[in-house]
Amino acid sequence: MPSFDIASKVDLQTLDNAINTVKKEIAGRYDFKNSPVNIVLNKKDFVLSLEVDSDMKMKQLIDVIISRSMKQGIDASAFNFEKDAYPSGKVIKKEVSVQNGLGQDDAKKIVKQIKDSGLKVQVQIMDDIVRVTGKKIDDLQEVIALLRSSDLKLPLSFVNMK
């Protein structure tokens, strides 16, 4: 029986390339000249640490991160900008987490949405992925189309189509 997996992972190398591109762009921009900008990617925890000297520059830095990441193929919803920036001395710091894997709540939402659609497929949660199995590949493609058109606000990837 054909099957595929629904995952929500960001490739570490692609993320690292996007952050390096952001650093190069910021270094060459006139509005960031002579101002402290520090961008650190914690590869183990998938967390970005941002430091700038004003709120305006923080907003510009976030815009650059989103645009460069999207050009590298990383979905903008992979970044969690919900934590507020906080002042620390003369700089403003912000921690940005990057989505890596589906949480239980998100996986349950996906399963519920697939089951509510009435498609004849079996769905099961396996750690941080959701496996979808069906008798026909057409049913699986309908599930993919359904999830892409939904408003889950998750960077979903569909892998291991067999």
Side-chain angles (χ1 to χ4, degrees):
M1 288 178 58
S3 68
F4 73 94
D5 296 335
I6 303 169
S8 180
K9 293 188 178 188
V10 174
D11 182 44
L12 183 61
Q13 187 62 48
T14 307
L15 179 63
D16 192 35
N17 290 344
I19 297 305
N20 288 335
T21 306
V22 168
K23 288 178 182 178
K24 286 179 187 174
E25 181 175 331
I26 294 297
R29 283 181 54 160
Y30 182 76
D31 53 347
F32 282 93
K33 209 131 195 111
N34 298 327
S35 64
V37 177
N38 193 8
I39 306 168
V40 178
L41 172 62
N42 183 342
K43 294 179 182 179
K44 181 181 168 197
D45 298 329
F46 282 84
V47 174
L48 278 171
S49 299
L50 309 176
E51 288 183 23
V52 292
D53 61 352
S54 70
D55 283 332
M56 183 185 73
K57 288 183 182 171
M58 181 65 77
K59 290 176 184 173
Q60 290 172 339
L61 181 60
I62 289 171
D63 287 343
V64 172
I65 289 172
I66 290 172
S67 66
R68 294 297 162 227
S69 298
M70 289 181 75
K71 285 185 179 180
Q72 295 277 344
I74 299 172
D75 194 344
S77 60
F79 297 101
N80 183 0
F81 294 108
E82 290 177 0
K83 285 188 180 176
D84 290 333
Y86 58 93
S88 175
K90 293 183 179 181
V91 296
I92 297 173
K93 295 183 178 183
K94 185 171 181 105
E95 299 278 320
V96 178
S97 60
V98 181
Q99 177 85 22
N100 192 32
L102 282 173
Q104 279 301 113
D105 295 337
D106 297 330
K108 287 178 183 177
K109 286 180 192 174
I110 291 171
V111 168
K112 182 179 181 333
Q113 189 166 11
I114 293 171
K115 290 194 177 201
D116 289 348
S117 70
L119 296 170
K120 296 185 178 184
V121 293
Q122 289 81 39
V123 186
Q124 63 188 100
I125 299 173
M126 303 172 72
D127 290 331
D128 62 345
I129 61 170
V130 175
R131 174 149 301 156
V132 181
T133 309
K135 291 184 180 178
K136 296 187 276 184
I137 288 188
D138 292 344
D139 293 338
L140 300 180
Q141 290 173 338
E142 286 183 40
V143 170
I144 292 172
L146 171 77
L147 292 175
R148 283 198 173 136
S149 66
S150 68
D151 59 342
L152 290 172
K153 296 182 176 86
L154 291 171
L156 296 179
S157 58
F158 306 99
V159 294
N160 296 336
M161 180 73 99
K162 298 176 187 169

